[in-house]
Amino acid sequence: MSKYKLFDFDTTKYPFKETVEKMMEVNQLDMIHEVFNFPEKLEIIKDQNTILHDKFYKEMKKEEFTELYQGFVREFISKLDMLGGEEILYQTFPSFRIHQPNNIAVGQYHRDSDFGHNTHEINFWLPFTNAWDTNTVWIGDPDSNEHECMEVNYGQVSYFDGVNSLHGNKDNLTGKSRMSIDFRIFPMKYYNQQDQEQTETLTQKKKFVIGEYWSEL
Ligand SMILES: [Fe+2]
C-alpha cells in the first residue's frame, strides 16, 4: 500500500504556480536555479534560511498568496472526505521548500514529531513544479524496501503521515528545481492549550498555539 495519497485540484481556481512565479519574479519555477543557484549544499538548520526562503516568506504574507492559500484550505482541503467534516485548525503560514539540482531541500531524514509536532497532525504537500525521482520527498526508512518515492504533479496535493513516518530527500539529479509548500491540519479535538504551549517550531520559534502556528478556519 502506498504511503501517500493524491488529490487533484483545479489549477485555474487555485493558480499556485502563476502566483508563486510572480512572487519569486521568475517565469519558470523549475529553472529557478538558473536565476539564483545556492552556492553550497544546504545543511541542517540553515537549510530553511536562504535568500529564496526569505523572499517567499516575505511575499507570502501579501494578500494575493494568503487569499489563495486560505481559500484552498477552506474550500478544498477541509472538504476532503478523510477529514470527515470535523473541526480543524490549519497551519497559519505554510512551510516553503526548494530543492535545487545537486542539492537537498531538507538536511536529514526525520519524523516531524522529532521537532515538537503533535502526532495527530495531518500533513499535506503541494508542489508548484512536478516532483519525481530525486527531486521529491521519499517516505520510509531509506535502508529498507519500504522506501517510497512520492510522485506528485503540479495540480495535485499529497497527504502523507509526515509526523509519524520517516521522510527525507536525496541529492537532486533531475536537473530541475522543485518548489513546494507543506502545511498541516490539526483536528481541534486533540488541541490542548497547555500542551501546545510547551513546544515551538525549530526555525521560526513559533509556539504551536492558535494565533501563532495554528489558525482557526
Ligand atoms: Fe518533515
Side-chain angles (χ1 to χ4, degrees):
M1 207 177 87
S2 182
K3 296 186 192 311
Y4 65 98
K5 191 170 162 55
L6 298 176
F7 301 96
D8 294 314
F9 66 88
D10 181 351
T11 54
T12 316
K13 199 166 174 202
Y14 305 109
F16 282 101
K17 186 163 79 84
E18 290 77 5
T19 307
V20 175
E21 280 169 355
K22 252 190 262 171
M23 288 163 58
M24 303 305 282
E25 297 176 288
V26 289
N27 44 32
Q28 202 186 334
L29 293 178
D30 63 6
M31 297 304 281
I32 195 168
H33 52 277
E34 291 197 334
V35 180
F36 184 82
N37 193 233
F38 298 144
E40 295 166 347
K41 267 241 163 110
L42 303 189
E43 290 170 45
I44 300 168
I45 309 291
K46 281 190 287 182
D47 58 1
Q48 305 309 316
N49 192 11
T50 70
I51 288 176
L52 296 179
H53 287 81
D54 292 348
K55 191 171 175 71
F56 184 89
Y57 284 132
K58 184 168 156 259
E59 292 293 319
M60 162 184 88
K61 303 219 160 104
K62 296 183 181 164
E63 207 177 355
E64 189 172 3
F65 187 84
T66 51
E67 278 186 5
L68 172 63
Y69 171 65
Q70 289 169 7
F72 182 71
V73 171
R74 186 173 296 120
E75 298 154 18
F76 186 84
I77 295 291
S78 78
K79 302 269 161 44
L80 293 172
D81 287 344
M82 60 173 287
L83 294 176
E86 68 177 311
E87 203 184 338
I88 55 171
L89 300 171
Y90 70 96
Q91 186 176 334
T92 310
F93 292 111
S95 306
F96 172 70
R97 318 285 174 192
I98 177 161
H99 197 172
Q100 291 194 340
N102 307 309
N103 216 318
I104 42 103
V106 173
Q108 74 208 115
Y109 270 76
H110 65 276
R111 296 174 176 82
D112 289 359
S113 59
D114 300 340
F115 305 117
H117 284 269
N118 188 293
T119 55
H120 295 290
E121 290 177 17
I122 300 165
N123 274 56
F124 290 95
W125 195 86
L126 189 160
F128 311 128
T129 54
N130 292 342
W132 79 100
D133 195 46
T134 52
N135 77 10
T136 190
V137 166
W138 288 66
I139 311 168
D141 180 346
D143 298 322
S144 79
N145 298 335
E146 297 196 348
H147 198 208
E148 187 179 8
C149 174
M150 191 161 77
E151 270 195 40
V152 192
N153 286 327
Y154 175 59
Q156 297 177 312
V157 57
S158 172
Y159 153 73
F160 76 107
D161 189 11
V163 201
N164 303 300
S165 37
L166 206 57
H167 57 282
N169 48 67
K170 301 177 182 295
D171 275 348
N172 178 359
L173 304 178
T174 65
K176 302 279 179 165
S177 287
R178 179 259 296 178
M179 290 168 73
S180 57
I181 48 170
D182 42 88
F183 56 92
R184 289 136 194 89
I185 295 293
F186 193 31
M188 195 61 196
K189 65 185 176 203
Y190 299 118
Y191 185 85
N192 175 303
Q193 183 73 21
Q194 279 167 348
D195 291 351
Q196 295 301 120
E197 278 171 1
Q198 305 304 312
T199 51
E200 60 186 15
T201 61
L202 190 64
T203 39
Q204 307 282 325
K205 304 291 171 210
K206 275 213 181 86
K207 288 208 181 298
F208 287 105
V209 297
I210 297 171
E212 286 195 44
Y213 190 84
W214 299 115
S215 284
E216 285 172 294
L217 205 58

